[in-house]
Amino acid sequence: MNSAPIKKCLFPAAGYGTRFLPATKATPKEMLPVLTKPLIQYGVEEAVEAGINTMAIVTGRGKRALEDHFDRSYELEHQIEGSSKELLMTDIRTIIRECTFSYTRQVEMKGLGHAILTGETLIGHEPFAVVLADDLCDNDGDGVLAQMIELYKKHKCSIVAIEEVPKEDTSKYGVIAGDEIEENVFQITDMVEKPDPKDAPSNLAIIGRYILTPDIFDIIRETKPGKGGEIQITDALLEQAKNGKVLAYKFQGQRFDCGSVDGFVEATNYFYKKSKA
Ligand code: G1P
């Protein structure tokens, strides 16, 4: 059993973002802004709010803008010094001051499980959080990751975030089956990556927030390519569930699929309204 606290958050960010071409031709999809903030910054802020200040980012070719975003920009700072524009930099300056960022590159695109395994070198042997930045989450109370860490403190096992989706959408997600052991908490008995609606074990879909215990790395190493010929974290987690315990948590809050144009526009409208309220 792992009793270490969660101190690190892994951000798989090597994907091509083909659904947003041509915008993502030379710009990482994680840098697309909802209002004035790039998607990855929302994810980092959610991790910070959950008490995490060590960020580990799995990047790939053409992703250098991510590193520049979480670094000082002396020329720019000099230009805006003393002007009202400095206010726009408050949040990112705080993040840069309070967090450390480390990066490793995923050389081949072999799936989310493979991306997470690539991050092992940055995580080491401790439990950690994973945020997929294109799932943008918001909640007026605790953020989704903070809610999951509370649950982790009690159960000390891997946890995936889930939400109910229309049955016809199950083919876009990892889908779980489980027994509800307390309100909104399911002990996983089955998990399938992107099943046809007719084969889906439920309509409880995994969204891009995970707490993982470090034994997951050895399991991923043994995991055969699954759906789409890729190494799926869903398959590795099912293995972990069979040999121990993995929970699925129906979180409080809203989630936008910013990996799709529709979800991105919804998120933009939502945060715009919120900024004017
Ligand atoms: C990944 C996971 C999937 C999960 C989804 C959440 O899929 O493989 O299980 O439901 O993230 O966003 P992707 O969207 O990267 O294809």
Side-chain angles (χ1 to χ4, degrees), residues 162-187:
I162 50 166
E163 72 176 4
E164 285 182 42
V165 297
K167 193 89 185 193
E168 64 270 20
D169 284 350
T170 52
S171 58
K172 297 184 195 159
Y173 301 95
V175 178
I176 70 122
D179 304 319
E180 195 164 10
I181 56 169
E182 55 189 86
E183 203 186 353
N184 295 327
V185 180
F186 297 77
Q187 181 156 348

PDB file of all heavy atoms in Angstrom, residues 162-187:
ATOM      1  N   ILE A 162     -14.772  10.012 -13.456  1.00  0.00           N
ATOM      2  CA  ILE A 162     -15.780   9.583 -14.441  1.00  0.00           C
ATOM      3  C   ILE A 162     -16.946  10.562 -14.481  1.00  0.00           C
ATOM      4  O   ILE A 162     -17.183  11.305 -13.522  1.00  0.00           O
ATOM      5  CB  ILE A 162     -16.353   8.180 -14.130  1.00  0.00           C
ATOM      6  CG1 ILE A 162     -16.815   8.089 -12.660  1.00  0.00           C
ATOM      7  CG2 ILE A 162     -15.355   7.083 -14.459  1.00  0.00           C
ATOM      8  CD1 ILE A 162     -17.684   6.874 -12.382  1.00  0.00           C
ATOM      9  N   GLU A 163     -17.655  10.539 -15.614  1.00  0.00           N
ATOM     10  CA  GLU A 163     -18.947  11.214 -15.685  1.00  0.00           C
ATOM     11  C   GLU A 163     -19.881  10.412 -16.571  1.00  0.00           C
ATOM     12  O   GLU A 163     -19.422   9.616 -17.403  1.00  0.00           O
ATOM     13  CB  GLU A 163     -18.809  12.666 -16.162  1.00  0.00           C
ATOM     14  CG  GLU A 163     -18.477  12.839 -17.604  1.00  0.00           C
ATOM     15  CD  GLU A 163     -18.450  14.320 -18.032  1.00  0.00           C
ATOM     16  OE1 GLU A 163     -18.608  15.229 -17.215  1.00  0.00           O
ATOM     17  OE2 GLU A 163     -18.256  14.536 -19.242  1.00  0.00           O
ATOM     18  N   GLU A 164     -21.175  10.641 -16.366  1.00  0.00           N
ATOM     19  CA  GLU A 164     -22.152   9.952 -17.210  1.00  0.00           C
ATOM     20  C   GLU A 164     -22.176  10.618 -18.574  1.00  0.00           C
ATOM     21  O   GLU A 164     -22.168  11.836 -18.667  1.00  0.00           O
ATOM     22  CB  GLU A 164     -23.546  10.029 -16.580  1.00  0.00           C
ATOM     23  CG  GLU A 164     -23.691   9.099 -15.409  1.00  0.00           C
ATOM     24  CD  GLU A 164     -25.087   9.126 -14.811  1.00  0.00           C
ATOM     25  OE1 GLU A 164     -26.071   9.148 -15.582  1.00  0.00           O
ATOM     26  OE2 GLU A 164     -25.175   9.135 -13.574  1.00  0.00           O
ATOM     27  N   VAL A 165     -22.181   9.794 -19.616  1.00  0.00           N
ATOM     28  CA  VAL A 165     -22.285  10.337 -20.981  1.00  0.00           C
ATOM     29  C   VAL A 165     -23.450   9.619 -21.676  1.00  0.00           C
ATOM     30  O   VAL A 165     -23.841   8.528 -21.247  1.00  0.00           O
ATOM     31  CB  VAL A 165     -20.977  10.129 -21.798  1.00  0.00           C
ATOM     32  CG1 VAL A 165     -19.814  10.876 -21.172  1.00  0.00           C
ATOM     33  CG2 VAL A 165     -20.650   8.648 -21.980  1.00  0.00           C
ATOM     34  N   PRO A 166     -24.006  10.232 -22.733  1.00  0.00           N
ATOM     35  CA  PRO A 166     -25.025   9.520 -23.488  1.00  0.00           C
ATOM     36  C   PRO A 166     -24.441   8.210 -24.019  1.00  0.00           C
ATOM     37  O   PRO A 166     -23.274   8.173 -24.437  1.00  0.00           O
ATOM     38  CB  PRO A 166     -25.344  10.473 -24.653  1.00  0.00           C
ATOM     39  CG  PRO A 166     -24.856  11.811 -24.216  1.00  0.00           C
ATOM     40  CD  PRO A 166     -23.716  11.575 -23.283  1.00  0.00           C
ATOM     41  N   LYS A 167     -25.229   7.150 -23.964  1.00  0.00           N
ATOM     42  CA  LYS A 167     -24.731   5.824 -24.344  1.00  0.00           C
ATOM     43  C   LYS A 167     -24.061   5.828 -25.730  1.00  0.00           C
ATOM     44  O   LYS A 167     -23.039   5.173 -25.939  1.00  0.00           O
ATOM     45  CB  LYS A 167     -25.903   4.834 -24.306  1.00  0.00           C
ATOM     46  CG  LYS A 167     -25.504   3.386 -24.366  1.00  0.00           C
ATOM     47  CD  LYS A 167     -25.239   2.755 -22.998  1.00  0.00           C
ATOM     48  CE  LYS A 167     -24.735   1.333 -23.177  1.00  0.00           C
ATOM     49  NZ  LYS A 167     -24.705   0.518 -22.002  1.00  0.00           N
ATOM     50  N   GLU A 168     -24.597   6.626 -26.655  1.00  0.00           N
ATOM     51  CA  GLU A 168     -24.025   6.609 -28.015  1.00  0.00           C
ATOM     52  C   GLU A 168     -22.617   7.227 -28.062  1.00  0.00           C
ATOM     53  O   GLU A 168     -21.910   7.100 -29.054  1.00  0.00           O
ATOM     54  CB  GLU A 168     -24.964   7.285 -29.030  1.00  0.00           C
ATOM     55  CG  GLU A 168     -25.222   8.763 -28.828  1.00  0.00           C
ATOM     56  CD  GLU A 168     -26.435   9.051 -27.919  1.00  0.00           C
ATOM     57  OE1 GLU A 168     -26.847   8.146 -27.152  1.00  0.00           O
ATOM     58  OE2 GLU A 168     -26.946  10.181 -27.974  1.00  0.00           O
ATOM     59  N   ASP A 169     -22.213   7.898 -26.972  1.00  0.00           N
ATOM     60  CA  ASP A 169     -20.876   8.514 -26.952  1.00  0.00           C
ATOM     61  C   ASP A 169     -19.802   7.630 -26.315  1.00  0.00           C
ATOM     62  O   ASP A 169     -18.644   8.045 -26.209  1.00  0.00           O
ATOM     63  CB  ASP A 169     -20.917   9.838 -26.173  1.00  0.00           C
ATOM     64  CG  ASP A 169     -21.568  10.945 -26.986  1.00  0.00           C
ATOM     65  OD1 ASP A 169     -21.799  10.735 -28.193  1.00  0.00           O
ATOM     66  OD2 ASP A 169     -21.857  12.006 -26.407  1.00  0.00           O
ATOM     67  N   THR A 170     -20.176   6.421 -25.876  1.00  0.00           N
ATOM     68  CA  THR A 170     -19.187   5.604 -25.159  1.00  0.00           C
ATOM     69  C   THR A 170     -17.965   5.286 -26.020  1.00  0.00           C
ATOM     70  O   THR A 170     -16.881   5.069 -25.491  1.00  0.00           O
ATOM     71  CB  THR A 170     -19.800   4.268 -24.668  1.00  0.00           C
ATOM     72  OG1 THR A 170     -20.427   3.623 -25.771  1.00  0.00           O
ATOM     73  CG2 THR A 170     -20.796   4.500 -23.544  1.00  0.00           C
ATOM     74  N   SER A 171     -18.121   5.299 -27.339  1.00  0.00           N
ATOM     75  CA  SER A 171     -16.998   4.949 -28.202  1.00  0.00           C
ATOM     76  C   SER A 171     -15.902   6.017 -28.230  1.00  0.00           C
ATOM     77  O   SER A 171     -14.881   5.851 -28.885  1.00  0.00           O
ATOM     78  CB  SER A 171     -17.489   4.685 -29.626  1.00  0.00           C
ATOM     79  OG  SER A 171     -18.152   5.829 -30.092  1.00  0.00           O
ATOM     80  N   LYS A 172     -16.135   7.138 -27.502  1.00  0.00           N
ATOM     81  CA  LYS A 172     -15.098   8.185 -27.436  1.00  0.00           C
ATOM     82  C   LYS A 172     -14.249   8.089 -26.170  1.00  0.00           C
ATOM     83  O   LYS A 172     -13.312   8.871 -25.982  1.00  0.00           O
ATOM     84  CB  LYS A 172     -15.760   9.574 -27.411  1.00  0.00           C
ATOM     85  CG  LYS A 172     -16.555   9.935 -28.629  1.00  0.00           C
ATOM     86  CD  LYS A 172     -17.045  11.363 -28.441  1.00  0.00           C
ATOM     87  CE  LYS A 172     -18.143  11.725 -29.394  1.00  0.00           C
ATOM     88  NZ  LYS A 172     -18.937  12.857 -28.920  1.00  0.00           N
ATOM     89  N   TYR A 173     -14.618   7.183 -25.254  1.00  0.00           N
ATOM     90  CA  TYR A 173     -14.003   7.189 -23.921  1.00  0.00           C
ATOM     91  C   TYR A 173     -13.617   5.793 -23.453  1.00  0.00           C
ATOM     92  O   TYR A 173     -14.121   4.794 -23.964  1.00  0.00           O
ATOM     93  CB  TYR A 173     -15.013   7.725 -22.893  1.00  0.00           C
ATOM     94  CG  TYR A 173     -15.515   9.105 -23.158  1.00  0.00           C
ATOM     95  CD1 TYR A 173     -16.707   9.305 -23.849  1.00  0.00           C
ATOM     96  CD2 TYR A 173     -14.803  10.213 -22.728  1.00  0.00           C
ATOM     97  CE1 TYR A 173     -17.188  10.586 -24.098  1.00  0.00           C
ATOM     98  CE2 TYR A 173     -15.268  11.494 -22.962  1.00  0.00           C
ATOM     99  CZ  TYR A 173     -16.466  11.674 -23.650  1.00  0.00           C
ATOM    100  OH  TYR A 173     -16.914  12.942 -23.887  1.00  0.00           O
ATOM    101  N   GLY A 174     -12.808   5.769 -22.389  1.00  0.00           N
ATOM    102  CA  GLY A 174     -12.707   4.561 -21.587  1.00  0.00           C
ATOM    103  C   GLY A 174     -13.981   4.489 -20.758  1.00  0.00           C
ATOM    104  O   GLY A 174     -14.446   5.508 -20.246  1.00  0.00           O
ATOM    105  N   VAL A 175     -14.558   3.298 -20.626  1.00  0.00           N
ATOM    106  CA  VAL A 175     -15.834   3.152 -19.916  1.00  0.00           C
ATOM    107  C   VAL A 175     -15.657   2.105 -18.813  1.00  0.00           C
ATOM    108  O   VAL A 175     -15.015   1.068 -19.034  1.00  0.00           O
ATOM    109  CB  VAL A 175     -16.956   2.735 -20.897  1.00  0.00           C
ATOM    110  CG1 VAL A 175     -18.278   2.528 -20.165  1.00  0.00           C
ATOM    111  CG2 VAL A 175     -17.113   3.789 -21.999  1.00  0.00           C
ATOM    112  N   ILE A 176     -16.219   2.382 -17.647  1.00  0.00           N
ATOM    113  CA  ILE A 176     -16.031   1.457 -16.514  1.00  0.00           C
ATOM    114  C   ILE A 176     -17.320   0.720 -16.153  1.00  0.00           C
ATOM    115  O   ILE A 176     -18.412   1.158 -16.500  1.00  0.00           O
ATOM    116  CB  ILE A 176     -15.535   2.198 -15.250  1.00  0.00           C
ATOM    117  CG1 ILE A 176     -16.637   3.110 -14.660  1.00  0.00           C
ATOM    118  CG2 ILE A 176     -14.303   3.030 -15.519  1.00  0.00           C
ATOM    119  CD1 ILE A 176     -16.967   2.783 -13.239  1.00  0.00           C
ATOM    120  N   ALA A 177     -17.162  -0.369 -15.427  1.00  0.00           N
ATOM    121  CA  ALA A 177     -18.266  -0.972 -14.688  1.00  0.00           C
ATOM    122  C   ALA A 177     -17.761  -1.123 -13.270  1.00  0.00           C
ATOM    123  O   ALA A 177     -16.558  -1.335 -13.060  1.00  0.00           O
ATOM    124  CB  ALA A 177     -18.624  -2.338 -15.255  1.00  0.00           C
ATOM    125  N   GLY A 178     -18.656  -0.976 -12.294  1.00  0.00           N
ATOM    126  CA  GLY A 178     -18.189  -1.106 -10.912  1.00  0.00           C
ATOM    127  C   GLY A 178     -19.324  -1.133  -9.921  1.00  0.00           C
ATOM    128  O   GLY A 178     -20.481  -0.957 -10.279  1.00  0.00           O
ATOM    129  N   ASP A 179     -18.947  -1.377  -8.657  1.00  0.00           N
ATOM    130  CA  ASP A 179     -19.928  -1.399  -7.570  1.00  0.00           C
ATOM    131  C   ASP A 179     -19.793  -0.103  -6.791  1.00  0.00           C
ATOM    132  O   ASP A 179     -18.681   0.266  -6.397  1.00  0.00           O
ATOM    133  CB  ASP A 179     -19.629  -2.566  -6.615  1.00  0.00           C
ATOM    134  CG  ASP A 179     -19.594  -3.888  -7.371  1.00  0.00           C
ATOM    135  OD1 ASP A 179     -20.449  -4.075  -8.258  1.00  0.00           O
ATOM    136  OD2 ASP A 179     -18.684  -4.717  -7.088  1.00  0.00           O
ATOM    137  N   GLU A 180     -20.920   0.566  -6.568  1.00  0.00           N
ATOM    138  CA  GLU A 180     -20.877   1.843  -5.847  1.00  0.00           C
ATOM    139  C   GLU A 180     -20.659   1.552  -4.360  1.00  0.00           C
ATOM    140  O   GLU A 180     -21.531   1.019  -3.695  1.00  0.00           O
ATOM    141  CB  GLU A 180     -22.164   2.642  -6.091  1.00  0.00           C
ATOM    142  CG  GLU A 180     -22.021   4.089  -5.669  1.00  0.00           C
ATOM    143  CD  GLU A 180     -23.096   5.009  -6.235  1.00  0.00           C
ATOM    144  OE1 GLU A 180     -24.078   4.495  -6.819  1.00  0.00           O
ATOM    145  OE2 GLU A 180     -22.960   6.234  -6.075  1.00  0.00           O
ATOM    146  N   ILE A 181     -19.460   1.895  -3.848  1.00  0.00           N
ATOM    147  CA  ILE A 181     -19.138   1.549  -2.452  1.00  0.00           C
ATOM    148  C   ILE A 181     -19.448   2.694  -1.498  1.00  0.00           C
ATOM    149  O   ILE A 181     -19.568   2.499  -0.303  1.00  0.00           O
ATOM    150  CB  ILE A 181     -17.657   1.102  -2.283  1.00  0.00           C
ATOM    151  CG1 ILE A 181     -16.690   2.181  -2.807  1.00  0.00           C
ATOM    152  CG2 ILE A 181     -17.407  -0.235  -2.983  1.00  0.00           C
ATOM    153  CD1 ILE A 181     -15.239   1.933  -2.425  1.00  0.00           C
ATOM    154  N   GLU A 182     -19.486   3.898  -2.037  1.00  0.00           N
ATOM    155  CA  GLU A 182     -20.025   5.029  -1.285  1.00  0.00           C
ATOM    156  C   GLU A 182     -20.539   6.012  -2.322  1.00  0.00           C
ATOM    157  O   GLU A 182     -20.320   5.792  -3.519  1.00  0.00           O
ATOM    158  CB  GLU A 182     -18.979   5.662  -0.352  1.00  0.00           C
ATOM    159  CG  GLU A 182     -17.706   6.098  -1.044  1.00  0.00           C
ATOM    160  CD  GLU A 182     -16.611   6.528  -0.056  1.00  0.00           C
ATOM    161  OE1 GLU A 182     -15.857   5.665   0.433  1.00  0.00           O
ATOM    162  OE2 GLU A 182     -16.520   7.736   0.191  1.00  0.00           O
ATOM    163  N   GLU A 183     -21.223   7.071  -1.877  1.00  0.00           N
ATOM    164  CA  GLU A 183     -21.851   7.944  -2.860  1.00  0.00           C
ATOM    165  C   GLU A 183     -20.817   8.444  -3.880  1.00  0.00           C
ATOM    166  O   GLU A 183     -19.770   8.979  -3.488  1.00  0.00           O
ATOM    167  CB  GLU A 183     -22.522   9.126  -2.157  1.00  0.00           C
ATOM    168  CG  GLU A 183     -23.612   9.728  -3.022  1.00  0.00           C
ATOM    169  CD  GLU A 183     -24.206  10.990  -2.408  1.00  0.00           C
ATOM    170  OE1 GLU A 183     -23.864  11.327  -1.258  1.00  0.00           O
ATOM    171  OE2 GLU A 183     -25.008  11.614  -3.111  1.00  0.00           O
ATOM    172  N   ASN A 184     -21.078   8.230  -5.157  1.00  0.00           N
ATOM    173  CA  ASN A 184     -20.225   8.696  -6.263  1.00  0.00           C
ATOM    174  C   ASN A 184     -18.870   7.987  -6.370  1.00  0.00           C
ATOM    175  O   ASN A 184     -18.002   8.416  -7.135  1.00  0.00           O
ATOM    176  CB  ASN A 184     -19.975  10.212  -6.175  1.00  0.00           C
ATOM    177  CG  ASN A 184     -21.248  10.990  -6.351  1.00  0.00           C
ATOM    178  OD1 ASN A 184     -22.142  10.556  -7.095  1.00  0.00           O
ATOM    179  ND2 ASN A 184     -21.363  12.114  -5.676  1.00  0.00           N
ATOM    180  N   VAL A 185     -18.655   6.942  -5.607  1.00  0.00           N
ATOM    181  CA  VAL A 185     -17.380   6.204  -5.661  1.00  0.00           C
ATOM    182  C   VAL A 185     -17.652   4.747  -6.029  1.00  0.00           C
ATOM    183  O   VAL A 185     -18.418   4.065  -5.350  1.00  0.00           O
ATOM    184  CB  VAL A 185     -16.639   6.266  -4.301  1.00  0.00           C
ATOM    185  CG1 VAL A 185     -15.322   5.499  -4.386  1.00  0.00           C
ATOM    186  CG2 VAL A 185     -16.409   7.712  -3.871  1.00  0.00           C
ATOM    187  N   PHE A 186     -17.016   4.291  -7.108  1.00  0.00           N
ATOM    188  CA  PHE A 186     -17.246   2.934  -7.608  1.00  0.00           C
ATOM    189  C   PHE A 186     -15.958   2.133  -7.525  1.00  0.00           C
ATOM    190  O   PHE A 186     -14.894   2.626  -7.910  1.00  0.00           O
ATOM    191  CB  PHE A 186     -17.699   2.977  -9.086  1.00  0.00           C
ATOM    192  CG  PHE A 186     -19.016   3.687  -9.287  1.00  0.00           C
ATOM    193  CD1 PHE A 186     -19.085   5.073  -9.258  1.00  0.00           C
ATOM    194  CD2 PHE A 186     -20.184   2.968  -9.503  1.00  0.00           C
ATOM    195  CE1 PHE A 186     -20.304   5.738  -9.431  1.00  0.00           C
ATOM    196  CE2 PHE A 186     -21.400   3.618  -9.687  1.00  0.00           C
ATOM    197  CZ  PHE A 186     -21.453   5.001  -9.651  1.00  0.00           C
ATOM    198  N   GLN A 187     -16.051   0.911  -7.051  1.00  0.00           N
ATOM    199  CA  GLN A 187     -14.904   0.016  -7.158  1.00  0.00           C
ATOM    200  C   GLN A 187     -14.995  -0.666  -8.515  1.00  0.00           C
ATOM    201  O   GLN A 187     -15.990  -1.328  -8.850  1.00  0.00           O
ATOM    202  CB  GLN A 187     -14.886  -1.005  -6.019  1.00  0.00           C
ATOM    203  CG  GLN A 187     -13.670  -1.913  -6.150  1.00  0.00           C
ATOM    204  CD  GLN A 187     -13.245  -2.550  -4.841  1.00  0.00           C
ATOM    205  OE1 GLN A 187     -13.698  -2.187  -3.763  1.00  0.00           O
ATOM    206  NE2 GLN A 187     -12.349  -3.516  -4.951  1.00  0.00           N
TER     207      GLN A 187
END
